């Protein structure tokens, strides 16, 4: 138990250099992108003298190392400065946009579970059969399609042709928000579920061939009870790890999908800030997304340990 706790604290400590590296890379890449924030702010009023004054006011005339230190110091105190574009504190913008992104990720996770768990188990139990073959072909096709193309197909079929769901925007009120997020969440869930179905099918087949499952069958325990009480619990652990590893791709997908469906989340805020060279917003959103991903990966390790006690036993040995 002690070794397991130490291992998790070690992983928490490892997050510090990871976050530091992400902030440094995003800071340097942003400075390499062509474009001048002062020119974006001034627009038609641009003059070299006015631009120099804007850069001096924003601290952009200082050395890069000093600018980076100012950003780190502000981030450690929860202050990300003021947006060049919106003229509002960046913290307020993040709070306004985080809700939509979290609802999108949460609904995507629900759709992923609804698609991948029954199909993965069904394909494993009936492996080699027609359902297994059809599932593998369909989900291989879904995995090969990029998210934006899946989104366009869903908009054409379920939005414009059938009229079952809104094709853009966010609506007002929780029910309206969820209705507007159905197609974006499906756009993310379909390709993401292909990975989970394959993983769950493989781990379920491995567990079904284990000795304790054979013993349970010899004792006369029903197949449904074996699946629910013995197989699913042992098979879901590796799937949780796959989910955590691929979550970064899901977060990256939200950036594209939010812009395709005009959802006012962190992804659309990030794209707009990059195009206007809104440095404080870009750096803050990149840091928030990075913290979200690494925390979910840490949570994945904890959940995996709880679902699979053999992991903790292995650490103790």
């Amino acid at each position: 138990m002690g070794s397991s706790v130490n291992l998790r604290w070690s992983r928490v400590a490892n997050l510090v250099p990871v976050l530091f590296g992400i902030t440094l890379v995003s800071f340097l890449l942003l400075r390499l992108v062509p474009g001048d924030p002062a020119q974006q702010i001034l627009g038609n009023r641009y003059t070299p003298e006015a631009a120099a004054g804007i850069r001096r006011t924003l601290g952009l005339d200082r050395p890069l190392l000093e600018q980076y230190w100012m950003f780190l110091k502000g981030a450690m105190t929860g202050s990300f400065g003021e947006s060049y574009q919106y003229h509002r504190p960046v913290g307020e913008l993040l709070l306004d946009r985080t809700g939509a992104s979290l609802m999108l990720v949460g609904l995507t996770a629900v759709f992923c579970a609804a698609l991948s768990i029954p199909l993965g188990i069904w394909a494993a139990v009936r492996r080699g059969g027609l359902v297994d073959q059809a599932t593998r072909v369909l989900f291989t096709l879904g995995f090969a399609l990029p998210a934006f193309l899946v989104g366009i197909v869903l908009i054409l079929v379920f939005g414009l042709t059938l009229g079952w769901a809104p094709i853009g925007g966010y609506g007002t009120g929780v029910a309206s928000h969820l209705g507007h997020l159905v197609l974006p969440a499906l756009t993310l869930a379909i390709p993401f579920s292909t990975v989970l179905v394959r993983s769950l099918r493989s781990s379920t087949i491995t567990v079904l061939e284990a000795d304790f499952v054979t013993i349970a069958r010899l004792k006369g325990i029903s197949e449904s009870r074996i699946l629910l009480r013995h197989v699913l619990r042992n098979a879901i652990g590796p799937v949780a790890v796959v989910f955590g590893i691929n979550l970064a791709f899901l977060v990256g997908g939200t950036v594209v999908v939010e812009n395709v469906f005009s959802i006012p989340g962190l992804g659309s805020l990030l794209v707009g800030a990059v195009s206007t060279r809104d440095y404080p917003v870009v750096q803050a959103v990149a840091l928030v997304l990075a913290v979200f991903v690494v925390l979910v990966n840490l949570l994945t390790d904890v959940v995996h340990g709880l679902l699979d006690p053999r992991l903790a036993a292995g650490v103790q040995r």
Side-chain angles (χ1 to χ4, degrees):
M1 181 66 183
S3 299
S4 177
V5 172
N6 290 336
L7 178 63
R8 285 164 189 162
W9 276 114
S10 172
R11 288 175 176 170
V12 172
N14 289 336
L15 298 182
V16 176
V18 170
L19 293 176
F20 177 77
I22 289 171
T23 59
L24 182 61
V25 169
S26 62
F27 176 87
L28 293 176
L29 286 178
L30 198 56
R31 265 61 181 181
L32 292 175
V33 174
D36 183 2
Q39 190 171 17
Q40 295 286 339
I41 293 172
L42 291 170
N44 294 331
R45 297 175 289 113
Y46 178 87
T47 63
E49 294 76 17
I54 291 288
R55 294 190 198 100
R56 187 165 52 253
T57 302
L58 299 177
L60 298 176
D61 59 337
R62 300 179 185 178
L64 286 180
L65 188 60
E66 185 179 347
Q67 293 182 43
Y68 180 61
W69 169 242
M70 289 172 61
F71 165 70
L72 279 185
K73 193 166 64 173
M76 286 186 285
T77 59
S79 173
F80 296 102
E82 185 171 295
S83 165
Y84 302 163
Q85 180 185 3
Y86 298 100
H87 306 291
R88 294 177 56 196
V90 175
E92 287 184 10
L93 287 172
L94 294 180
L95 288 177
D96 288 347
R97 300 297 189 99
T98 299
S101 295
L102 286 179
M103 286 187 73
L104 176 58
V105 172
L107 193 58
T108 301
V110 171
F111 286 156
C112 281
L115 287 171
S116 59
I117 292 178
L119 284 176
I121 294 176
W122 194 353
V125 173
R126 306 288 184 185
R127 61 183 181 277
L130 182 61
V131 173
D132 185 25
Q133 297 295 335
T135 301
R136 293 170 66 179
V137 171
L138 287 175
F139 278 86
T140 300
L141 181 63
F143 182 71
L145 294 175
F148 75 89
L149 187 56
V150 175
I152 291 173
V153 172
L154 291 177
I155 288 174
L156 291 175
V157 176
F158 297 103
L160 297 178
T161 304
L162 299 176
W164 288 356
I167 60 173
Y170 189 50
T172 55
V174 175
S176 181
H177 292 335
L178 291 173
H180 282 78
L181 291 177
V182 168
L183 293 185
L186 279 174
T187 301
L188 291 169
I190 289 174
F192 194 49
S193 295
T194 62
V195 180
L196 300 181
V197 167
R198 284 187 169 189
S199 176
L200 185 57
R201 176 185 178 277
S202 175
S203 60
T204 301
I205 289 174
T206 301
V207 176
L208 283 171
E209 293 173 349
D211 292 339
F212 68 89
V213 174
T214 304
I215 294 172
R217 285 172 176 155
L218 291 175
K219 289 181 178 178
I221 299 175
S222 66
E223 284 294 321
S224 59
R225 190 175 177 186
I226 290 174
L227 280 175
L228 292 176
R229 297 195 59 179
H230 300 284
V231 176
L232 185 58
R233 178 179 177 181
N234 289 281
I236 205 74
V239 180
V241 175
V242 172
F243 178 84
I245 293 173
N246 286 276
L247 188 70
F249 297 101
L250 177 62
V251 172
T254 61
V255 176
V256 177
V257 168
E258 284 182 5
N259 281 277
V260 170
F261 288 93
S262 301
I263 299 170
L266 291 175
S268 57
L269 178 65
L270 177 65
V271 172
V274 169
S275 63
T276 57
R277 309 297 184 269
D278 199 342
Y279 290 171
V281 173
V282 175
Q283 292 166 178
V285 173
L287 179 59
V288 169
L289 295 180
V291 169
F292 177 73
V293 170
V294 296
L295 286 181
V296 169
N297 279 323
L298 180 64
L299 183 63
T300 301
D301 286 342
V302 175
V303 171
H304 189 200
L306 294 175
L307 291 174
D308 189 356
R310 293 170 298 178
L311 183 65
V315 170
Q316 289 180 353
R317 283 198 295 271

